[in-house]
Amino acid sequence: GACAPLTKNCMMAVSVNIAANSSASDESQAKLYRVTRSRISFLSLDEIINKILQKFYALGEWTHNTSLTVPNLYSTLIASLTVIFDLWYVGQIGISQLAGVAYIFPIYMLTSMLSNGAFGGAVSGATARAFGSRNIFLAECIFRSAILIALIGSVIMMGIFFTFAEMFFKFFEINQEVTFSALTYGTILLNGIFLIWFFNIIIAITRGSGNTIIPAVGWSIVLVSHVIIASLNFEYKEGIITLINTVDLFNGSYVFTSLEWSVMSLLIGY
């Protein structure tokens, strides 16, 4: 009985507290709702603007990547056409000549893969990092190092070929006509192999600087020059292309066989 008034007072205090808390909670929720609603409206506007900007940014990135990719794809296509035309040209000369060139062709491909792929890729990446950090001095050092790599690579390949080529053909007892064609084509190609090294290394540096147009133009010059110069060995009769046995320059001062002229026209393009 003595605790009844106290319990009653406690219950009234609790009910008042609950009512006050409920009122405060309702008021805070209403305030939170108003603030949240206003924020949602502003966030929605911001999100719309951000999405529009992201779309433009993505479009810009796509356009930039396309501008870098398309010339590279074009360069790859032109490089393939250059090889195809050269092999077609040699095939028109004769079967033995084509068989001889088949022994030298891996050297040409190895040169392209090293100068344009392995070393070229490393040089291109290093150049891109130098340009990205705006370190022109580092870019110049990379350029000089790349030229030195091209020079050393061409000298090593020349030394290996001229040291072991004849030994290779004698050891495997390859047909003499095929051997002669291979050595003729290989001797001229390896004497000018530094042109291929320097060309591929320089266009790798150019790609690393962010310019892919110049390599595409360079490969176009290689193919067009190869076709035009090689056509000096062609005759057109009744719509049929035939090859002349020799190419005479300066009134016979310089005479080249068709096989020699094929590789010379390729190197002149580079």
Side-chain angles (χ1 to χ4, degrees):
C3 295
L6 180 60
T7 304
K8 185 177 181 180
N9 291 334
C10 290
M11 291 180 63
M12 290 177 63
V14 169
S15 62
V16 170
N17 191 20
I18 292 174
N21 290 338
S22 176
S23 176
S25 177
D26 292 341
E27 191 174 329
S28 62
Q29 286 181 358
K31 184 178 180 181
L32 179 63
Y33 173 75
R34 289 194 299 270
V35 173
T36 305
R37 186 176 179 181
S38 62
R39 286 184 179 177
I40 288 173
S41 61
F42 283 111
L43 284 174
S44 298
L45 181 60
D46 291 341
E47 286 178 356
I48 292 172
I49 294 174
N50 287 333
K51 285 183 178 181
I52 293 173
L53 293 177
Q54 286 174 4
K55 291 292 183 181
F56 279 108
Y57 180 76
L59 180 62
E61 285 294 318
W62 183 85
T63 305
H64 178 68
N65 291 334
T66 302
S67 66
L68 295 176
T69 303
V70 172
N72 275 332
L73 293 174
Y74 174 81
S75 300
T76 303
L77 175 63
I78 296 301
S80 302
L81 291 177
T82 302
V83 174
I84 291 171
F85 174 78
D86 188 58
L87 293 178
W88 172 84
Y89 181 17
V90 175
Q92 299 301 308
I93 301 173
I95 297 176
S96 298
Q97 287 76 13
L98 183 60
V101 171
Y103 284 101
I104 306 301
F105 184 71
I107 299 176
Y108 172 80
M109 292 305 299
L110 179 63
T111 303
S112 299
M113 288 186 290
L114 289 176
S115 58
N116 198 22
F119 292 108
V123 167
S124 181
T127 304
R129 287 195 298 271
F131 272 83
S133 60
R134 301 181 184 276
N135 192 337
I136 303 301
F137 175 75
L138 179 60
E140 293 174 350
C141 293
I142 293 169
F143 178 79
R144 288 191 290 267
S145 301
I147 296 300
L148 184 61
I149 289 172
L151 180 62
I152 294 174
S154 58
V155 170
I156 290 175
M157 297 190 77
M158 289 172 64
I160 293 174
F161 177 81
F162 291 119
T163 302
F164 300 105
E166 291 188 9
M167 297 170 54
F168 171 84
F169 288 106
K170 287 181 181 179
F171 179 79
F172 287 100
E173 298 180 354
I174 299 172
N175 181 277
Q176 289 185 354
E177 189 174 358
V178 174
T179 300
F180 177 77
S181 299
L183 292 176
T184 300
Y185 191 95
T187 299
I188 298 175
L189 179 66
L190 268 297
N191 276 315
I193 201 72
F194 67 93
L195 295 173
I196 301 176
W197 269 94
F198 279 107
F199 175 83
N200 287 329
I201 283 290
I202 289 174
I203 66 172
I205 296 172
T206 307
R207 281 199 305 269
S209 67
N211 190 331
T212 56
I213 301 296
I214 291 179
V217 173
W219 274 113
S220 300
I221 293 173
V222 171
L223 177 60
V224 172
S225 300
H226 187 22
V227 173
I228 292 175
I229 296 172
S231 64
L232 297 176
N233 192 215
F234 296 159
E235 279 187 348
Y236 304 93
K237 292 182 179 179
E238 299 178 356
I240 300 175
I241 300 176
T242 57
L243 266 66
I244 309 171
N245 291 330
T246 58
V247 176
D248 300 336
L249 299 178
F250 305 109
N251 296 324
S253 300
Y254 299 94
V255 180
F256 303 98
T257 64
S258 297
L259 185 62
E260 292 172 340
W261 191 246
S262 68
V263 63
M264 288 182 64
S265 63
L266 176 64
L267 291 175
I268 290 172
Y270 279 104

